[in-house]
Amino acid sequence: MDFRAKLSFVSVVGALVVLYFASGSPISLYSMWQDELGLTHAQLSMASMWYLLGTVFPLMFLPRISNHLGRRPATVMIMMVSLCGAITFMMVNSPEMIMAGRLIQGIASGLGSSTVAAYVVDLSTDLPRWVGPMITSSAPTLGLSTGAFASGGIITFTDIGATSYFEAVVVLLVVITVMVVFARETMPRSPGLLRSLIPKFTLPENSLRLYAACSMIFVGTWALGGFSQSFSAVIVSEHLGMENAFVSAVVFTSLLLPNALGSFFAKRFETRQAQRWGMGAFAVFTTLMYVSLAYIDSILLFCLFSIAAGISQGIAFTAGVTELMGRATQAQRAGTFSLIYLTSYGGAAIPNLVVGLFSGDMSVESIMFAYIVLIIVMFAILLVLSAKPYPERKAPEVMRS
């Protein structure tokens, strides 16, 4: 890689992480807003649902715009959407503004999942095959986790308030956007922009059963991520009797941050092995998370099992993404990422919507039990779908191994 290629790669990876950093920043503040604005369990779940549903629109209608506008201008546009979300959180004074801000951030995250992720993979073609998928798999959880951790720590241990914190997030987004402006373009503009708005998802040839098996992982693991996003602050409040944004961030990040470690280990396993063992371990450790919460009442054990579950998720999720993207051509990458993340966000959004509409006075433990049942069902289906080796498919243009 020459200097500009390295700078381009760093800038675009930074953009992907910072997009999710901005989206993760409000999560550990839910307990503060719950106290100040009187948010209910249902409203907390609905706030997460609006974020998750916000990802659906761009993943359905806009995943291929960078194939026609170019990766760089599309990425700059996405950063500007995220900027609008951060500005909204600078002015939060009602539950409705929280939901509006989460919707805007969801749109930015949905666009980032396809366009910016494809840009990262484009720029990683001179690197080992696993680098691009590892980054695109771990960047969302790394960004969400560090954003929640930063906001919780800064607001708990300093005199900086939420408004000043989000002003700093705005500055960070502007700096990264300027860096992206000077990145190398990997997808020249081409006609057909309006046609690209028609929903069309890309799946590499001969990969249907592989995708179906991956979907069980995407849905099961991201569903629990949606639960953690909604209720980590509530768990701290109800089990430790405190409203502490930093401790809430610790509980939230104990599940998501270890994903990055699992993503790194995924390259050591064959795809089916990583999927089956990773998802199986995830099901076991999430069950132990529930036991530690419902029967032992130990936040420490809950966080330790969360860390193990997060590592297991990173292994299973990254293995599937690596295999799917290794079969995709450059033109298919954005559409394939769109399909991957639409499935993942759908797996998180739909359970959150159900909880928001029907949970009523259900306890957090009862809600989590329902998520555990979903995860076990997904694992059982995965075992069936991955019982035989997946059909081989070598794309004409794949990432270098």
Side-chain angles (χ1 to χ4, degrees):
M1 275 189 173
D2 59 24
F3 176 75
R4 189 183 181 195
K6 291 178 181 177
L7 181 62
S8 299
F9 183 72
V10 169
S11 299
V12 177
V13 171
L16 188 60
V17 174
V18 168
L19 274 174
Y20 286 98
F21 179 91
S23 294
S25 292
I27 294 170
S28 58
L29 307 183
Y30 282 172
S31 58
M32 179 186 74
W33 287 321
Q34 187 177 26
D35 183 55
E36 293 179 358
L37 305 175
L39 292 172
T40 64
H41 284 192
Q43 286 175 323
L44 286 171
S45 187
M46 292 300 286
S48 296
M49 185 275 297
W50 278 114
Y51 169 76
L52 295 165
L53 287 186
T55 65
V56 172
F57 176 82
L59 286 170
M60 287 186 66
F61 298 101
L62 304 174
R64 293 173 291 135
I65 60 169
S66 66
N67 289 354
H68 304 280
L69 291 180
R71 302 278 201 241
R72 183 173 57 198
T75 298
V76 170
M77 177 190 70
I78 293 164
M79 298 299 289
M80 297 303 292
V81 174
S82 181
L83 191 66
C84 292
I87 291 171
T88 302
F89 277 104
M90 285 169 49
M91 304 180 291
V92 161
N93 57 17
S94 68
E96 289 74 23
M97 284 198 71
I98 292 174
M99 294 179 193
R102 294 305 279 159
L103 175 64
I104 295 169
Q105 289 183 327
I107 293 170
S109 296
L111 286 165
S113 299
S114 54
T115 296
V116 187
Y119 202 178
V120 169
V121 174
D122 288 352
L123 291 168
S124 69
T125 51
D126 291 332
L127 299 172
R129 176 177 181 261
W130 54 269
V131 172
M134 184 195 75
I135 291 172
T136 55
S137 297
S138 59
T141 51
L142 179 64
L144 288 169
S145 299
T146 53
F149 212 92
S151 63
I154 290 172
I155 290 175
T156 298
F157 298 116
T158 71
D159 294 330
I160 296 174
T163 298
S164 297
Y165 174 83
F166 282 104
E167 287 174 350
V169 173
V170 167
V171 172
L172 178 61
L173 287 165
V174 170
V175 170
I176 295 294
T177 302
V178 172
M179 291 176 64
V180 171
V181 168
F182 295 99
R184 177 170 61 85
E185 181 59 79
T186 60
M187 181 66 73
R189 293 189 181 191
S190 63
L193 177 61
L194 293 180
R195 288 195 305 274
S196 75
L197 303 182
I198 300 172
K200 180 182 177 182
F201 303 109
T202 305
L203 189 65
E205 182 183 331
N206 214 19
S207 300
L208 182 59
R209 182 159 61 86
L210 168 64
Y211 165 70
C214 291
S215 296
M216 301 303 106
I217 298 169
F218 301 160
V219 170
T221 58
W222 282 56
L224 191 71
F227 168 85
S228 182
Q229 184 178 145
S230 298
F231 294 107
S232 56
V234 176
I235 289 171
V236 170
S237 175
E238 294 184 356
H239 286 264
L240 292 181
M242 64 171 65
E243 306 289 342
N244 189 299
F246 181 73
V247 177
S248 299
V250 170
V251 173
F252 176 69
T253 57
S254 67
L255 176 64
L256 294 195
L257 193 56
N259 268 257
L261 183 59
S263 295
F264 178 77
F265 286 138
K267 65 186 171 110
R268 301 176 183 271
F269 300 93
E270 183 270 333
T271 299
R272 289 170 60 246
Q273 181 186 39
Q275 289 179 317
R276 292 161 71 92
W277 285 100
M279 188 62 177
F282 182 79
V284 169
F285 288 124
T286 51
T287 301
L288 291 173
M289 287 168 60
Y290 168 75
V291 171
S292 67
L293 197 66
Y295 296 101
I296 304 176
D297 194 23
S298 171
I299 293 292
L300 176 60
L301 280 177
F302 180 85
C303 289
L304 290 175
F305 290 132
S306 293
I307 291 170
I311 294 172
S312 303
Q313 175 181 348
I315 292 171
F317 187 91
T318 303
V321 172
T322 301
E323 185 64 26
L324 283 169
M325 296 310 299
R327 296 165 176 240
T329 65
Q330 184 185 29
Q332 291 174 327
R333 285 172 190 160
T336 302
F337 269 122
S338 176
L339 184 61
I340 290 169
Y341 283 103
L342 182 63
T343 307
S344 302
Y345 281 117
I350 294 173
N352 266 67
L353 176 60
V354 172
V355 169
L357 294 176
F358 302 110
S359 61
D361 295 325
M362 287 177 63
S363 66
V364 173
E365 293 81 3
S366 298
I367 294 170
M368 186 175 183
F369 180 78
Y371 279 86
I372 300 300
V373 172
L374 174 65
I375 290 166
I376 293 173
V377 170
M378 296 295 101
F379 175 55
I381 298 173
L382 168 67
L383 289 177
V384 175
L385 291 170
S386 62
K388 298 186 297 183
Y390 302 121
E392 292 189 4
R393 162 77 168 102
K394 297 295 183 183
E397 176 192 357
V398 295
M399 292 171 285
R400 219 172 82 176
S401 58

